[in-house]
Amino acid sequence: MAKETGIVSWKSLNLGMAITKPGCAADLKTGDWRSMRPETDRKKCTKCGQCYIFCPDMVYSKDAEGYYVQNYYYCKGCGICAKECPVDAITMHQEVD
Amino acid sequence: MSKKIGVEVSIAAADAVGLCDVDVVAAYPITPQTHIVEHLSELVAEGHLDAEFVPVESEHSAMSACIGSSAAGARTFTSTCSQGYALMSELCYIASALRLPIVMAVANRAISAPINIWNDHGDLMYARDSGWIQVIGENGQETVDLTIAAFRIAEDPNILLPVQVNLDGFTLSHMIEPIVMPDKKDVKKFLPAYKPQLRLDPANPITMGPVGMPDVYTEARKAQDEALKSSKAQIVKIFNEFGKQFGRKYNLVETYKTEDAETIIITMGSLSQTAMTAVDMMRDKGKKVGVARIRVFRPFPADELFAAIKGAKNLVILDRVTSFTGGYVSGPVCLEIKSILYDRKHYPKIGNFLAGLGGRDTTDQNFMEMVDKVAASKDGGVPLAYEFINVRE
Amino acid sequence: MGIAAEALKNFKGFNLKNMPEVEPVSPGHRACQGCGEVLALRQAMKALGTNVVVCSATGCMEIITSPFPQTAWRVPWIHVAFENAAAVVSGVESAYKAMNRKNIIKSPDTVFVAYGGDGATADIGMQALSGALERGHNFIYMCFDNEAYMNTGVQRSSSTPFGAQTTTSPPGKKSKGQSTQKKNLPEIAVAHGTPYVATACPAFPVDLMNKVKKASLVPGPAYIHIYSPCPTGWRCGIEESVEMARLAVQSKVFPLYEVIDGVYYLSRKVAKPKPVAEYFKPQRRFRHLTEADVQQIQARTDAEYDRLVAKCVVEVKEKKEKE
Amino acid sequence: MIEIRIHGRGGQGAVTSAELAALAAIEEGKYAQAFPSFGPERRGAPVMAFVRVSDKPIVTREKVYEPNYVVVLDPTLLKLVNVEAGLKKGGIVIVNTAKSAADVRKETGIKAKLATVDASKIAMDTMRVTITNTTMLGALIKAVPDLLPLKALAGPIEHRFGGIAAKNIASCNRAFEETKVEG
């Protein structure tokens, strides 16, 4: 779990409280927000990439075979990918612990 | 040594900015600051100054553009006063918090209402809690020198705070007087090129101005407070270096005939000059009077000011502003001084006078009356905490 | 040929097969589930790449990307205040211009971007935007329009559409919700003589990305108005953002077009428009409207669309051919 | 220290007169201040400008309340403004007028010593304008020889007026010749 708070000494702040680690929000596990999980049926998937380009949370990336795979570390479970999938290859499933 | 030339103080101030080779000037016109920015746009138009002049649509955008420019790493200047300052003040607080070394000349002017284009320190005091360094010139030469020193102070790696150079509107900004303009080579030696520690650069991306939640806001403010606090010693060093380079030495507090003075007048800005004239006249009559002039208002030079005034039995403290407190609390300069004295358990008689408001002249005669009033009083001479000078009943 | 057309004459666009992989905005940002605005921001930034400086207005996209000590920004980014992103970018652009000229830096191709929500653009930041457009700085301004002040809890802005419910335009016995018509920001940008103006929405990502890319190639200012559905404020399903954006285009509520050197081009002709009611239905912000209200809105939507189409050169040509 | 007040109307160049006098003094190695009356007055309204000249640095920022000399650029002001206000004992009022000093005194009741010159006519003759600001500087030098040598004005006038400086200098010089100072 990445450090979510800014609890630091005033002496360790950068000038003007600037953040000098580009994109360090990528440490944050927004996957914790999810109650529904998208899963892809590869038999239906046409590798069209709609899920990739419509994801607000940059969850999808292409694997070696050209399929788009979810990174559940970030997925907030909004379900846009499932709704937009033109061949209904993606379905939403209840998260279970 | 360069020759003295006759020049309007605003023009000289703009030329000083030119000598500092600024990269960006973003400004909006307001009386009595206009001559400064007009001349800068002229310098750019004629090719005497290689800079971008951004003719913004408001002071709010002037300071916004200055913040963008300084964050991108450029040496940046603007100028305003009064309502212009009020409009941009939101951004001034942000400029200092982002630690951007912007230099701004303020041709001090009263705050509305009634609308009044003339001089007082309404804008200077409006800015006092903004986290900027505030320096104050008394004449044209000081305005020029402090403008050059301001860039050096602002950009000092140990300071990195914006600096406000205050010059009294009209009484200084529109005055033609003899000024020695420093040599460009000397300025370059004194003021090396600005090397930002952090800047908006695609090769090294940073995030400036992030959200500070309750877990870090206190630390951010503490860091900024420390920066202003520790700037004081560095400003003294820079003033000393300026003295070595240009032969004119500046201090946080300047004194005039205070050594043996029973009464000390405390002033800021061009009024100090009239006060010194009055002191000479009173000395001729055998009165032991002196003047302590505050050259740097933020960071407040408490120790230096106390050292200058501790020998006096009476203090005449001028505030060139109305600071509405509802009656009992003094004007802002007096308030600072009272707190110094309280901390040091030292209690001279004090008269606090609100003088020179909205361009009202304060004469040598006025100073003599104030000195006499405090000297003759038992409790500071003023029934309440302060008194308006030259007000018609 | 105008300066924008000249700059775009050899333009090669993106397509679904050659999407840039770069993500200048990182994951881990704290946008709501199903946020249509951060999706639009993501697509736009992908088109721009990494040689950019971004100036952000206060708003959702600022708050969700930058709570200390995290930043979702992989490119240089500054937030100053709510109403001044266009003025801040003016300063950044001027600084780069001066420093490049004076050989202090070598960064001639850097693209300067300012963005804000509809409140930051149409309301409080209108003056700063107008000033920056008029001065002709070389920058892109992107307005992410979600039709209300979402960051503060869904209050109406001048970009909120007629009839919409917000927390400060509540429907009641004497109110139908928002009582004024949506301010037409792209027209205001056009009126400044802005070389490149476009509308876009994240349901048509290739179109959006191409427009943003074009904006970066045009010298001088460019303005892009991006429809950014907000499930939280519009009170629709979190999976429906893209669908809402698509329906807005298909119902003529939000037509996609470009204005290059003042010449209008329709990006997507709505041949078989869907009724506005279909777009309204999933959004609870319109649920209080009567059928008559919706009919009135439908009539105005059609009229506005026709007015736009009449301005578009492509349409003019077609008309002539018919004649 | 010599203090001078210049009366004119907005647009007649009273401020320029003050500036040129101060600049000339500074060129001569003296100390000087010049400043306007800082008002919102527009073209045509009565305005004032001030000059201080001294051999020592000037350390005051008061307005000029008690001038040693007063210059009046426009004769119509004599009836509108108390040009003699605050004038120090032994001071001189230097007036642009076609009339004699005696007539001016009779009409205005001015008690101080007068210096008169028809600067409007001189300016019209030499420059084809009725702006008398540079012309009246010649009269000022004639009435106050201690202030500056006449030739000291040439530099600042040239710097300010460029191509039309020669005519201004000629007008100034002619006024110097023609100014009558009461004995």
Side-chain angles (χ1 to χ4, degrees):
Chain A
M1 178 71 202
K3 200 175 70 165
E4 281 203 37
T5 68
I7 295 173
V8 288
S9 156
W10 65 268
K11 289 172 196 157
S12 66
L13 292 175
N14 285 317
L15 205 61
M17 215 179 93
I19 304 172
T20 52
K21 273 192 262 169
C24 61
D27 294 346
L28 277 181
K29 189 181 179 185
T30 52
D32 289 348
W33 301 17
R34 184 178 64 241
S35 55
M36 299 291 280
R37 161 194 290 260
E39 283 170 13
T40 308
D41 179 353
R42 291 203 170 190
K43 280 186 249 126
K44 288 186 184 169
C45 176
T46 61
K47 305 177 185 175
C48 72
Q50 296 281 315
C51 53
Y52 166 79
I53 201 62
F54 285 134
C55 176
D57 296 302
M58 302 82 165
V59 165
Y60 285 89
S61 60
K62 213 190 262 193
D63 71 2
E65 296 168 66
Y67 288 107
Y68 288 89
V69 291
Q70 293 92 347
N71 182 345
Y72 292 113
Y73 191 79
Y74 300 121
C75 176
K76 294 172 187 161
C78 68
I80 289 177
C81 51
K83 180 154 177 78
E84 294 301 322
C85 178
V87 292
D88 293 331
I90 304 173
T91 44
M92 300 302 287
H93 301 269
Q94 192 74 42
E95 280 290 339
V96 281
D97 1 77
Chain B
M1 191 55 148
S2 314
K3 190 176 168 288
K4 252 181 354 192
I5 52 160
V7 59
E8 191 187 282
V9 175
S10 287
I11 305 298
D15 280 330
V17 174
L19 287 173
C20 294
D21 192 26
V22 293
D23 302 312
V24 174
V25 177
Y28 187 78
I30 180 169
T31 304
Q33 151 267 34
T34 39
H35 293 184
I36 298 175
V37 294
E38 282 172 5
H39 190 58
L40 277 166
S41 71
E42 229 169 75
L43 291 176
V44 172
E46 293 288 347
H48 299 312
L49 172 60
D50 190 359
E52 286 295 308
F53 185 88
V54 190
V56 282
E57 83 295 335
S58 72
E59 286 89 356
H60 195 281
S61 285
M63 187 49 63
S64 301
C66 284
I67 288 172
S69 163
S70 189
R75 183 170 286 165
T76 305
F77 177 83
T78 188
S79 180
T80 190
C81 62
S82 182
Q83 303 316 112
Y85 181 80
L87 183 59
M88 68 163 60
S89 62
E90 177 196 18
L91 289 317
C92 292
Y93 278 67
I94 297 171
S96 57
L98 295 180
R99 306 289 300 277
L100 298 173
I102 299 160
V103 172
M104 166 163 69
V106 180
N108 301 116
R109 165 183 152 179
I111 296 277
S112 293
I115 186 167
N116 172 295
I117 58 171
W118 293 270
N119 171 232
D120 73 24
H121 288 164
D123 42 19
L124 193 158
M125 289 304 162
Y126 203 131
R128 80 190 138 139
D129 290 344
S130 66
W132 285 52
I133 290 168
Q134 293 183 295
V135 300
I136 303 142
E138 291 172 20
N139 59 37
Q141 188 67 57
E142 293 183 4
T143 304
V144 165
D145 292 348
L146 291 174
T147 301
I148 294 165
F151 283 102
R152 176 71 191 277
I153 292 167
E155 294 169 6
D156 186 297
N158 295 309
I159 298 179
L160 287 166
L161 284 169
V163 180
Q164 204 184 64
V165 180
N166 292 278
L167 64 149
D168 283 326
F170 288 118
T171 23
L172 284 186
S173 66
H174 282 52
M175 182 68 69
I176 293 197
E177 60 184 59
I179 294 174
V180 178
M181 287 309 288
D183 199 69
K184 180 136 198 174
K185 266 189 293 179
D186 291 337
V187 174
K188 208 162 185 181
K189 224 189 290 171
F190 173 74
L191 179 68
Y194 172 43
K195 294 262 183 294
Q197 288 181 19
L198 294 172
R199 59 177 288 264
L200 295 168
D201 176 11
N204 190 12
I206 59 164
T207 288
M208 295 178 87
V211 179
M213 291 194 283
D215 59 18
V216 74
Y217 185 86
T218 308
E219 284 67 27
R221 297 311 255 190
K222 168 74 177 167
Q224 192 185 342
D225 184 57
E226 283 295 324
L228 185 61
K229 205 154 88 180
S230 63
S231 72
K232 201 175 80 174
Q234 201 65 18
I235 293 169
V236 172
K237 273 190 209 163
I238 291 168
F239 278 168
N240 288 340
E241 275 185 52
F242 187 94
K244 273 186 212 141
Q245 182 78 52
F246 298 101
R248 290 181 296 276
K249 168 89 172 61
Y250 293 100
N251 297 300
L252 302 174
V253 174
E254 309 278 2
T255 55
Y256 184 70
K257 300 188 179 176
T258 51
E259 293 74 21
D260 62 338
E262 281 176 14
T263 302
I264 292 179
I265 303 168
I266 300 163
T267 58
M268 299 200 303
S270 63
L271 213 54
S272 309
Q273 301 229 309
T274 312
M276 289 190 280
T277 308
V279 162
D280 286 346
M281 295 161 83
M282 287 185 273
R283 286 266 171 185
D284 287 346
K285 291 180 195 158
K287 289 183 187 169
K288 289 186 175 174
V289 187
V291 189
R293 297 118 70 201
I294 300 170
R295 158 92 57 234
V296 175
F297 189 67
R298 287 288 184 271
F300 194 74
D303 296 329
E304 294 76 4
L305 191 59
F306 183 69
I309 63 175
K310 66 180 173 198
K313 283 194 270 182
N314 311 317
L315 298 179
V316 170
I317 304 172
L318 271 83
D319 267 297
R320 210 168 188 177
V321 64
T322 35
S323 165
F324 298 106
T325 59
Y328 197 70
V329 182
S330 316
V333 175
C334 186
L335 209 56
E336 303 282 2
I337 294 167
K338 279 182 173 172
S339 89
I340 300 175
L341 297 172
Y342 180 87
D343 290 348
R344 289 161 181 77
K345 299 188 169 54
H346 183 75
Y347 308 109
K349 290 197 285 186
I350 293 177
N352 183 205
F353 301 95
L354 310 188
L357 304 180
R360 184 70 63 84
D361 209 5
T362 307
T363 63
D364 43 30
Q365 202 60 41
N366 289 143
F367 280 108
M368 291 186 231
E369 286 160 15
M370 289 184 248
V371 167
D372 287 345
K373 192 162 197 173
V374 177
S377 72
K378 286 204 175 93
D379 60 351
V382 185
L384 272 173
Y386 55 86
E387 177 179 309
F388 285 77
I389 284 294
N390 287 340
V391 70
R392 283 184 289 275
E393 294 296 338
Chain C
M1 197 182 278
I3 59 160
E6 178 71 34
L8 298 176
K9 66 182 176 194
N10 297 320
F11 179 74
K12 284 192 190 67
F14 300 107
N15 57 54
L16 269 178
K17 294 281 165 242
N18 72 349
M19 285 285 161
E21 281 181 20
V22 64
E23 299 282 1
V25 181
S26 80
H29 63 71
R30 306 185 199 200
C32 297
Q33 293 167 317
C35 174
E37 186 175 6
V38 81
L39 173 59
L41 179 68
R42 175 194 170 214
Q43 293 172 354
M45 291 311 302
K46 280 175 86 68
L48 288 172
T50 53
N51 192 4
V52 295
V53 177
V54 181
C55 302
S56 174
T58 307
C60 285
M61 293 304 101
E62 170 254 339
I63 290 282
I64 60 112
T65 56
S66 78
F68 184 88
Q70 277 90 24
T71 178
W73 290 93
R74 291 169 169 152
V75 291
W77 178 93
I78 183 170
H79 160 254
V80 179
F82 195 178
E83 64 288 9
N84 66 347
V88 174
V89 84
S90 301
V92 173
E93 186 256 6
S94 300
Y96 266 74
K97 209 165 158 190
M99 292 193 299
N100 274 318
R101 191 173 62 228
K102 294 165 93 166
N103 290 318
I104 298 169
I105 57 168
K106 279 201 177 62
S107 200
D109 302 321
T110 302
V111 173
F112 307 100
V113 181
Y115 71 78
D118 49 294
T121 308
D123 294 347
I124 198 167
M126 185 84 256
Q127 176 181 316
L129 174 61
S130 174
L133 292 176
E134 173 273 325
R135 290 190 298 274
H137 296 280
N138 186 17
F139 76 112
I140 306 170
Y141 190 96
M142 296 191 285
C143 171
F144 294 102
D145 181 6
N146 55 23
E147 304 198 315
Y149 290 89
M150 300 314 183
N151 197 33
T152 44
V154 201
Q155 293 83 22
R156 64 85 74 181
S157 78
S158 61
S159 197
T160 301
F162 178 82
Q165 174 184 18
T166 71
T167 56
T168 52
S169 63
K173 279 182 189 148
K174 297 182 176 180
S175 166
K176 285 185 194 305
Q178 176 85 339
S179 60
T180 53
Q181 298 292 343
K182 185 181 175 78
K183 188 185 277 186
N184 192 331
L185 278 163
E187 288 287 352
I188 292 170
V190 170
H192 283 76
T194 307
Y196 185 80
V197 176
T199 63
C201 86
F204 300 92
V206 174
D207 179 72
L208 183 150
M209 290 170 70
N210 283 337
K211 283 169 173 168
V212 172
K213 184 70 188 173
K214 283 181 186 177
S216 75
L217 298 173
V218 169
Y223 176 85
I224 305 190
H225 197 89
I226 304 176
Y227 210 58
S228 307
C230 171
T232 308
W234 294 8
R235 301 169 74 198
C236 60
I238 54 174
E239 75 289 359
E240 286 179 315
S241 279
V242 173
E243 178 66 8
M244 285 307 108
R246 189 180 292 116
L247 279 171
V249 173
Q250 290 172 341
S251 63
K252 302 182 186 175
V253 166
F254 190 81
L256 299 178
Y257 61 96
E258 285 174 296
V259 188
I260 302 173
D261 301 313
V263 183
Y264 284 70
Y265 302 87
L266 206 59
S267 311
R268 179 173 289 267
K269 204 176 157 196
V270 185
K272 288 179 194 155
K274 299 200 166 161
V276 168
E278 195 176 320
Y279 163 67
F280 279 3
K281 204 174 171 211
Q283 304 178 47
R284 279 166 58 199
R285 62 173 175 158
F286 293 116
R287 196 156 289 177
H288 59 282
L289 295 175
T290 62
E291 212 164 294
D293 295 336
V294 176
Q295 279 316 308
Q296 191 194 333
I297 293 169
Q298 179 72 59
R300 186 180 158 96
T301 303
D302 292 343
E304 285 291 304
Y305 184 82
D306 290 346
R307 211 166 62 83
L308 172 71
V309 169
K311 279 194 277 196
C312 292
V313 285
V314 180
E315 291 297 313
V316 171
K317 264 187 217 158
E318 281 181 7
K319 267 187 193 166
K320 274 185 185 163
E321 278 161 19
K322 276 179 199 163
E323 281 162 11
Chain D
M1 182 162 67
I2 296 174
E3 293 183 311
I4 302 162
R5 184 173 68 220
I6 302 171
H7 291 272
R9 290 180 183 278
Q12 289 181 337
V15 178
T16 306
S17 286
E19 284 181 22
L20 292 169
L23 292 175
I26 293 165
E27 283 290 310
E28 289 290 297
K30 296 183 185 226
Y31 293 87
Q33 292 179 337
F35 51 100
S37 49
F38 306 148
E41 290 84 1
R42 296 298 199 256
R43 190 166 286 268
V47 297
M48 293 185 284
F50 306 94
V51 186
R52 284 193 177 103
V53 176
S54 173
D55 293 328
K56 285 186 276 183
I58 302 171
V59 188
T60 184
R61 296 286 164 183
E62 274 187 28
K63 286 167 192 155
V64 171
Y65 294 99
E66 297 182 346
N68 303 86
Y69 304 100
V70 171
V71 177
V72 184
L73 298 183
D74 184 327
T76 60
L77 290 169
L78 289 170
K79 286 174 190 159
L80 289 174
V81 182
N82 178 11
V83 298
E84 222 182 352
L87 186 66
K88 277 216 172 73
K89 220 176 151 190
I92 306 176
V93 179
I94 302 141
V95 187
N96 166 22
T97 176
K99 293 172 184 162
S100 69
D103 285 349
V104 170
R105 192 181 307 289
K106 208 189 296 169
E107 286 171 22
T108 62
I110 290 175
K111 292 187 185 67
K113 190 164 149 182
L114 284 162
T116 52
V117 62
D118 192 353
S120 297
K121 179 172 190 304
I122 295 171
M124 191 45 98
D125 286 353
T126 51
M127 299 184 288
R128 302 264 152 236
V129 293
T130 53
I131 305 291
T132 61
N133 58 345
T134 47
T135 310
M136 284 302 286
L137 285 173
L140 172 68
I141 303 295
K142 178 71 167 283
V144 195
D146 296 350
L147 186 68
L148 290 169
L150 182 64
K151 62 175 172 32
L153 290 168
I157 292 178
E158 265 163 26
H159 188 256
R160 167 62 68 100
F161 292 103
I164 54 163
K167 284 180 178 174
N168 277 278
I169 292 169
S171 194
C172 174
N173 289 346
R174 190 174 143 194
F176 179 84
E177 296 301 331
E178 294 183 13
T179 299
K180 294 190 195 89
V181 185
E182 283 188 319

